[in-house]
């Protein structure tokens, strides 16, 4: 079987990582990605339907989801971690305790690099897939210096919280590839099929970090009406608006239309973010399927996602673009 540096480093068969996707991952999705040869990632609130503000309960819920994954698959998987400034960070310490106790093989580390957290993960033998929310040369080189296993180059084509600089995926990938010497780079943002994976490979990526295409899978916990909306929509349908921390992109709907109108009227980003309901808007729109109360945030490649498929088919197609 053909491999590359990424698959060898992570101990997987295919260079395909499923994005963390906030509320929209669970053990079933992550195990399906692993069983198909890629690596699934348990995102924040994986497998949950109700929010908790308790750091300990958040970590224990993740412990339960980790154990569910292991009941369904013996393949490597990852858990998303999002450290913030130490004086404000009450969630990371209990989460790390669970990850170490459960001997999780890998993490998707998102955000700024805090060496005390990053280095501790590496010391515990956990493989770190680093994804800066605003990719740049300095953070990529810093991640490599601290022992990152792989680095994600995320372009403005992505869904969810968009980078603050409007740099497309096929510009950011070669920039990050050229910035590091020894670490494989994954392309994120608009990589949804064999064609886009092949293009990312041509720019130096050794793997893909994809989210929206996995939402159009049979195993994804996203609401069925939103899955159907996804495959029926095109890239032309997406609407962009400013909010905190920078931009968001969403399909037309009751709440998203209001957010776009607020943006056009010059409302403050803080006001638009408050109207979004933060990540709760994803819960309402994409997990519950209510586009009046929530929003549906996806990447720019909708025109290339045509059907709801098994995870195994998605992994196989993306891998073909990388390994052929």
């Amino acid at each position: 079987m053909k491999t590359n540096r990424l698959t060898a480093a992570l101990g997987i068969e295919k260079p395909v990582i499923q994005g963390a996707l906030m509320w929209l991952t669970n053990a079933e999705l992550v195990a399906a990605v692993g069983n198909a040869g890629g690596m699934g990632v348990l995102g924040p609130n994986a497998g949950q339907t109700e929010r908790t503000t308790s750091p300990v309960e958040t970590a224990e819920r993740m412990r339960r989801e980790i154990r569910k994954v292991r009941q369904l698959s013996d393949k490597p998987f990852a858990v998303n971690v999002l450290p913030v400034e130490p004086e404000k960070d009450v969630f990371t310490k209990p989460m790390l305790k669970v990850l170490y106790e459960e001997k999780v093989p890998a993490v998707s580390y998102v955000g700024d690099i805090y060496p005390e957290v990053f280095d501790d993960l590496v010391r515990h033998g956990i493989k770190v897939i680093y994804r800066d929310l605003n990719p740049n040369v300095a953070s990529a080189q810093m991640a490599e210096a601290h022992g990152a296993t792989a680095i994600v180059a995320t372009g403005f084509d992505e869904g969810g919280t968009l980078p603050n600089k409007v740099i497309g995926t096929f510009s950011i990938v070669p920039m990050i590839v050229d910035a590091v010497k020894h670490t494989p780079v994954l392309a994120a943002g608009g990589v949804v099929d064999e064609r886009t994976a092949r293009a990312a490979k041509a720019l130096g990526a050794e793997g893909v970090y994809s989210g929206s295409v996995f939402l159009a899978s049979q195993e994804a916990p996203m609401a069925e009406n939103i899955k159907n909306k996804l495959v029926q929509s095109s890239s032309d349908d997406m609407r962009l608006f400013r909010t905190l921390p920078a931009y968001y992109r969403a399909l037309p709907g009751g709440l998203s239309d209001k957010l776009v109108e607020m943006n056009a009227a010059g409302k403050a980003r803080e006001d638009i973010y408050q109207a979004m309901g933060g990540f709760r808007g994803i819960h309402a729109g994409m997990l519950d399927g209510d586009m009046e109360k929530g929003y549906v945030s996806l990447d720019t490649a909708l025109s290339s996602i045509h059907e709801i498929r098994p995870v195994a088919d998605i992994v196989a197609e993306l891998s073909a673009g990388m390994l052929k």
Side-chain angles (χ1 to χ4, degrees):
M1 180 177 294
K2 193 172 182 180
T3 61
N4 65 13
R5 289 194 303 170
L6 181 75
T7 57
L10 293 177
I12 58 179
E13 297 174 8
K14 298 171 183 174
V16 178
I17 312 298
Q18 158 250 309
L21 301 172
M22 291 304 298
W23 292 91
L24 303 168
T25 61
N26 58 17
E28 290 77 13
L29 174 62
V30 168
V33 176
N35 289 335
M39 177 173 277
V41 180
L42 289 170
N45 304 306
Q48 305 306 310
T49 58
E50 298 296 331
R51 182 172 176 264
T52 176
T53 58
S54 164
V56 173
E57 176 60 21
T58 298
E60 288 304 316
R61 288 181 179 189
M62 185 62 74
R63 187 194 302 275
R64 294 193 288 270
E65 209 65 20
I66 288 166
R67 292 179 176 179
K68 288 179 186 177
V69 173
R70 288 196 163 121
Q71 292 172 357
L72 299 170
S73 175
D74 61 357
K75 304 297 184 181
F77 63 98
V79 172
N80 201 58
V81 293
L82 301 95
V84 297
E85 299 93 334
E87 61 273 15
K88 299 178 181 178
D89 196 346
V90 296
F91 285 91
T92 298
K93 187 174 181 180
M95 184 64 71
L96 293 181
K97 180 175 183 290
V98 167
L99 301 188
Y100 299 154
E101 290 173 353
E102 297 297 323
K103 295 180 169 42
V104 168
V107 296
S108 170
Y109 181 119
V110 177
D112 295 336
I113 294 174
Y114 297 96
E116 62 273 25
V117 176
F118 204 108
D119 295 347
D120 199 43
L121 287 162
V122 174
R123 278 195 299 270
H124 278 82
I126 293 179
K127 296 170 182 178
V128 179
I129 302 164
Y130 176 64
R131 187 171 86 87
D132 194 339
L133 292 171
N134 298 290
N136 61 82
V137 167
S139 68
Q141 292 175 340
M142 185 176 181
E144 182 172 61
H146 282 272
T149 304
I151 296 170
V152 181
T154 305
F156 199 74
D157 308 77
E158 73 160 331
T161 303
L162 302 181
N164 59 21
K165 290 185 178 180
V166 186
I167 304 176
T169 300
F170 289 168
S171 296
I172 204 76
V173 168
M175 187 180 89
I176 301 301
V177 167
D178 292 346
V180 295
K181 297 179 179 178
H182 310 294
T183 309
V185 172
L186 297 106
V191 185
V192 301
D193 59 9
E194 184 175 346
R195 292 181 301 172
T196 44
R198 194 184 310 124
K201 178 184 178 183
L203 294 170
E206 296 182 57
V208 301
Y209 186 97
S210 295
S212 293
V213 68
F214 282 107
L215 295 176
S217 71
Q218 293 173 359
E219 293 88 342
M222 190 165 75
E224 288 300 315
N225 66 312
I226 305 302
K227 290 184 187 181
N228 292 328
K229 185 77 172 176
L230 189 164
V231 299
Q232 293 163 6
S233 299
S234 76
S235 303
D236 283 342
D237 297 323
M238 300 301 294
R239 307 184 73 186
L240 184 70
F241 55 91
R242 289 178 174 270
T243 182
L244 294 178
Y247 302 91
Y248 248 76
R249 182 186 297 113
L251 284 174
L255 178 58
S256 60
D257 290 349
K258 174 185 175 183
L259 299 172
V260 170
E261 290 168 4
M262 290 178 69
N263 179 77
K267 298 295 185 181
R269 292 186 183 197
E270 293 80 1
D271 293 338
I272 297 174
Y273 183 78
Q274 185 175 7
M276 285 174 68
F279 294 130
R280 294 190 299 279
I282 288 180
H283 184 298
M286 301 178 77
L287 194 65
D288 297 340
D290 186 344
M291 295 180 70
E292 292 301 311
K293 296 180 179 178
Y295 54 89
V296 176
S297 181
L298 301 163
D299 71 20
T300 60
L302 293 189
S303 295
S304 297
I305 304 175
H306 305 295
E307 59 182 329
I308 301 168
R309 297 184 289 165
V311 157
D313 291 356
I314 296 169
V315 172
E317 182 177 4
L318 291 171
S319 178
M322 274 285 146
L323 294 180
K324 274 187 180 178

